[in-house]
Amino acid sequence: MKGIQHAGEYDLTDLKLYTGSGEVLNLSLMYQSLDIYENMFSNGLTGALIIVDTNNIVMNAPITGQEFLSFKIITPTLDNVPIDFTEHVMAVYKIDARVAERGNEVIQLHFCSPELLRNSRTRLSKSYDGNISDIVSKILTDKKSTNTKKELFIDQTLGNKKIVSPNKNPYSLIRDLTTDAIGENGSPHFVFFENLDGIHFRTLDSLYAIGSTGEFIASDRGSIDFQEGGITNIKEDLKRVLDYEIASNNDTKRNIKSGLFGSKTITYNIYQKNYDVKRYDYFEDFSDYGRVGGSNFPIYNKGAVDFANNLSSFKDAKIFLHSTSKDSSNLDTQHYVGTKTNYTPNDIEKTIAHRDSKHAELDNGVKINMEINGNTTIKVGSIIDFQIPITGTNHTGDDYDVYYSGRFLVTKARHSFDKLENRYRIYMSIVKDSFNQELPDGGSEAQQPTGGIL
């Protein structure tokens, strides 16, 4: 921690703007703030840069929304884990908020991953053979497609597929493939996103397996470390949550409609002229795949609903209907090579109910918004440990909330760098899909009011 004065301190270097006219502008002395946005449910990085212009560079450069931006950020305590966009630069796509102030002009530049712009102007009309993971890799690296040079994190998938792209944008096609992809461990929970490390097409299980990248606690400011020159204890402050709110706490009404608790999938086989019905049950299928906290307990209990039932008893709450075409050997009958086929048909009946339930858990389950001192090791897809102190009267003797404390998945993050304060902060959303302790349900003693519509 030598040389650092406060948690969140950072160094920003190589902040350069490459203009369409060939000019390279050093913005290190002009910028006020820099924000980078990550989102697990988005396909690329975005951001905003605010600069104070005293030389009318918008006209003289000129700046037209066709520029490229490079920068590198390190924290003194973590200088081996930089945020580095000097090789893979960002693309400026919008000029906003030009405000004149006492001879200066405050300008906001919006930027994004160049792959997002390439995706918007590219269409794919072709067929692909192979497993889905290889197809995704081809789409991302093909010079006539996304043409990315960034590091790829792609989990291997099962099956040999024949995919036809009907004039689709590359990212739109990849999003379609996430719904049919099944990992080698059998998991259907594929996500497609970009974070500060690179581009990911992987299962949630593989993110959970990485392990925790940080421990945080909602506490007071760190103590003064007199051995370090009287500055605040940096290690304590890096673990401190500056502010937090529980943003979502089990929206039962919405989760019923989304299929989190129960659903029915009807698959019609157009080749054999028959259909199959699969039912999803939140409680019975809870342990089929990995959870953020490991082998934990549901975020709902089995308390009585409509007297003889629980929340997962109603499979008609959401119904999926889709078609497939396969023979008795479970091979795809839509695509033949000569007189034979060796392709795997779409297996959406194995994935769709689990995927929708999981997305509902991550969006409408236990979600916390929080602010921490900046740390370049924290990014979307990271697993963190967050301990929430008990508020009010402590009836159990526990130090922390036994349900809401524990491991969380980071799904959204805004990395905010303020030049005036020389402070790096992260505003992020974290979620969990299980509790560390089983919720009581009352068992046979549970009572439900007999009045009203219930």
Side-chain angles (χ1 to χ4, degrees), residues 298-314:
I299 58 177
Y300 285 89
N301 67 26
K302 297 181 180 179
V305 176
D306 290 354
F307 303 103
N309 304 289
N310 59 47
L311 285 171
S312 69
S313 300
F314 306 93

Side-chain angles (χ1 to χ4, degrees), residues 137-152:
S137 181
K138 290 177 184 177
I139 295 171
L140 290 172
T141 58
D142 190 343
K143 291 182 179 180
K144 295 183 179 180
S145 180
T146 313
N147 192 30
T148 186
K149 301 296 189 297
K150 294 176 179 175
E151 187 169 0
L152 303 181

Side-chain angles (χ1 to χ4, degrees), residues 6 8-12 31-35 50 73 414-425 427:
H6 58 81
E9 189 175 339
Y10 72 95
D11 293 320
L12 188 153
Y31 89 97
Q32 283 189 332
S33 65
L34 173 69
D35 289 340
I50 296 179
I73 301 168
R414 174 165 68 94
H415 302 264
S416 184
F417 304 89
D418 187 291
K419 181 182 180 181
L420 183 62
E421 296 184 358
N422 187 27
R423 189 174 296 276
Y424 166 27
R425 288 180 176 170
Y427 304 86

Side-chain angles (χ1 to χ4, degrees), residues 82-262:
I83 297 175
D84 191 350
F85 288 97
T86 55
E87 182 179 352
H88 305 297
V89 298
M90 291 290 193
V92 175
Y93 68 89
K94 182 181 178 182
I95 307 168
D96 198 9
R98 295 181 60 181
V99 180
E101 291 184 353
R102 299 178 182 177
N104 301 328
E105 188 174 35
V106 178
I107 303 167
Q108 185 174 41
L109 302 179
H110 295 266
F111 59 86
C112 68
S113 303
E115 289 84 357
L116 283 178
L117 300 183
R118 293 188 202 126
N119 171 70
S120 296
R121 56 180 174 244
T122 303
R123 296 274 180 174
L124 300 177
S125 295
K126 60 183 299 184
S127 63
Y128 296 89
D129 290 329
N131 60 52
I132 288 178
S133 52
D134 289 341
I135 293 172
V136 170
S137 181
K138 290 177 184 177
I139 295 171
L140 290 172
T141 58
D142 190 343
K143 291 182 179 180
K144 295 183 179 180
S145 180
T146 313
N147 192 30
T148 186
K149 301 296 189 297
K150 294 176 179 175
E151 187 169 0
L152 303 181
F153 302 86
I154 299 178
D155 286 353
Q156 289 299 307
T157 56
L158 299 176
N160 182 37
K161 300 285 186 175
K162 176 82 167 182
I163 304 295
V164 178
S165 175
N167 201 37
K168 283 199 167 188
N169 298 114
Y171 281 2
S172 178
L173 177 59
I174 293 175
R175 286 195 300 270
D176 288 348
L177 295 177
T178 62
T179 63
D180 196 22
I182 298 176
E184 289 186 320
N185 63 348
S187 173
H189 301 143
F190 269 83
V191 286
F192 172 52
F193 66 96
E194 182 182 355
N195 68 5
L196 298 175
D197 288 334
I199 299 175
H200 301 253
F201 181 86
R202 59 197 307 181
T203 63
L204 292 174
D205 293 58
S206 70
L207 295 175
Y208 301 160
I210 294 174
S212 176
T213 57
E215 298 179 3
F216 299 92
I217 181 172
S219 66
D220 296 328
R221 185 177 178 85
S223 59
I224 300 298
D225 192 333
F226 294 101
Q227 293 183 348
E228 294 291 335
I231 63 174
T232 303
N233 188 306
I234 305 300
K235 291 182 179 179
E236 290 182 23
D237 240 15
L238 284 173
K239 294 181 179 181
R240 182 169 66 99
V241 174
L242 305 175
D243 192 17
Y244 77 94
E245 65 171 356
I246 299 177
S248 179
N249 187 4
N250 293 13
D251 187 335
T252 304
K253 178 176 179 292
R254 190 171 177 182
N255 288 335
I256 291 172
K257 298 180 68 175
S258 68
L260 186 151
F261 303 118

Side-chain angles (χ1 to χ4, degrees), residues 317-334:
K318 187 163 188 177
I319 298 176
F320 302 98
L321 173 64
H322 83 101
S323 63
T324 188
S325 181
K326 53 189 175 183
D327 58 22
S328 57
S329 300
N330 202 36
L331 293 175
D332 190 356
T333 56
Q334 295 183 90

